[in-house]
Amino acid sequence: MSDYLTLAGGLEALLAAFAISVALKTYFAKPKLPHGVQLPPGPPSLPLLGNALAVDVSEPWVTYKEWGSQYGNMFYTRLFSQDNIIINSEEVARNLLENRSHKYSDRPEIATNELLGVDYTTVFMRYNSRWRLQRKILQQSFRRHVASDFEPMQTGKAHELLLNLLEDPLDYPKHLEA
């Protein structure tokens, strides 16, 4: 009986050590940044919780405004295990997110897209020259003044559908196929 208790105690200790190591890795893990790039300054954070207790959940912008006056227009926070960079200035936001969007904008690469055969779809495609070409083609085809060119054809097809439904209303699935 004591062998089982010793074994159970050893497994509990091993499980506790594993949980502590995961918690410490989560807390001390910093985002992987290119060499020479540093995170902006920010408030000190607690283990595991980060800055979650310091943010007023009902009005988080008030907390961010206070931190902005203390740490500048852009600062780093950690909420639980999520890293956040808060931009607290419209001018900085426009500069980074509009004027230099080509540096920061992209979609994540999802491995299953290629397996499912949807990697060619503009919605899932990474930002590159192929995406820009597809986006240009879509814009040329679906602009407001181009879409109005299709209105006579759409009106004619709608009238044709209505006439077919008047003649044979029970066979409506056949009318929708044409």
Side-chain angles (χ1 to χ4, degrees), residues 19-83:
I20 290 171
S21 73
V22 168
L24 290 175
K25 281 182 186 176
T26 301
Y27 172 68
F28 289 112
K30 294 286 185 188
K32 293 182 180 178
L33 300 171
H35 182 68
V37 176
Q38 293 181 345
L39 289 170
S45 60
L46 298 171
L48 299 177
L49 298 176
N51 302 107
L53 297 179
V55 176
D56 181 7
V57 178
S58 62
E59 297 176 321
W61 58 89
V62 174
T63 307
Y64 296 151
K65 177 84 171 136
E66 290 172 9
W67 285 345
S69 62
Q70 187 176 359
Y71 298 106
N73 289 333
M74 190 166 64
F75 55 90
Y76 168 78
T77 66
R78 186 177 181 92
L79 301 174
F80 299 105
S81 63
Q82 183 177 10
D83 300 307

Side-chain angles (χ1 to χ4, degrees), residues 36-163:
V37 176
Q38 293 181 345
L39 289 170
S45 60
L46 298 171
L48 299 177
L49 298 176
N51 302 107
L53 297 179
V55 176
D56 181 7
V57 178
S58 62
E59 297 176 321
W61 58 89
V62 174
T63 307
Y64 296 151
K65 177 84 171 136
E66 290 172 9
W67 285 345
S69 62
Q70 187 176 359
Y71 298 106
N73 289 333
M74 190 166 64
F75 55 90
Y76 168 78
T77 66
R78 186 177 181 92
L79 301 174
F80 299 105
S81 63
Q82 183 177 10
D83 300 307
N84 298 289
I85 294 179
I86 308 296
I87 300 173
N88 217 8
S89 159
E90 182 180 355
E91 182 182 337
V92 173
R94 284 192 190 280
N95 186 24
L96 291 175
L97 303 177
E98 286 184 10
N99 299 341
R100 293 195 263 171
S101 63
H102 63 280
K103 289 185 179 180
Y104 308 113
S105 299
D106 202 358
R107 292 182 173 93
E109 189 168 334
I110 302 171
T112 56
N113 286 349
E114 188 175 347
L115 294 173
L116 296 173
V118 294
D119 57 327
Y120 67 91
T121 307
T122 309
V123 175
F124 296 120
M125 195 179 292
R126 306 281 309 259
Y127 292 148
N128 55 28
S129 59
R130 183 174 166 197
W131 177 85
R132 282 190 287 281
L133 176 64
Q134 284 190 221
R135 169 82 181 199
K136 182 179 178 182
I137 292 169
L138 286 171
Q139 288 296 323
Q140 289 173 350
S141 302
F142 293 108
R143 285 194 308 251
R144 180 176 293 169
H145 74 276
V146 173
S148 64
D149 294 345
F150 296 106
E151 189 174 333
M153 181 181 64
Q154 292 169 340
T155 305
K157 288 292 186 179
H159 289 156
E160 183 182 327
L161 172 65
L162 291 173
L163 287 173

